[in-house]
Amino acid sequence: MGSLSIWHWLIIAALFVVFFGAKRMPDAARSLGRSLRIFKSEVSEMHNDGKPASPATAPPAPELPSGRETGASTTETRSESKTL
């Protein structure tokens, strides 16, 4: 007696369609999916909150193009172009 049969579920689904309309059902499902995704990410973040980040998950440092130099030479070219 405690379980719902397929007919009970169909009646419940029909009532949802009647109350909310067919147009609002996809929006409600999309909103529910977003909420569950946010909840899941927050829970996983809460579990990882006390643990230190492993080096494998750290993003790699960006590489400079091979033709450019770093440091004062790029600063000098910028200042020279401003005076011209």
Side-chain angles (χ1 to χ4, degrees):
M1 175 152 160
S3 65
L4 296 175
S5 70
I6 188 70
W7 293 109
H8 291 114
W9 287 111
L10 289 174
I11 292 171
I12 291 171
L15 288 175
F16 270 104
V17 170
V18 168
F19 285 137
F20 297 112
K23 287 187 177 184
R24 291 188 60 192
M25 292 299 288
D27 292 335
R30 193 175 303 118
S31 176
L32 180 65
R34 284 185 195 143
S35 300
L36 288 175
R37 212 173 305 127
I38 291 170
F39 179 73
K40 183 179 176 182
S41 68
E42 291 294 326
V43 167
S44 65
E45 185 178 320
M46 188 174 69
H47 284 295
N48 295 334
D49 197 24
K51 299 177 185 176
S54 64
T57 60
E63 295 182 20
L64 294 174
S66 61
R68 290 191 172 174
E69 297 178 23
T70 60
S73 63
T74 57
T75 311
E76 292 172 6
T77 56
R78 287 184 188 160
S79 64
E80 290 174 358
S81 65
K82 288 180 183 177
T83 57
L84 296 177

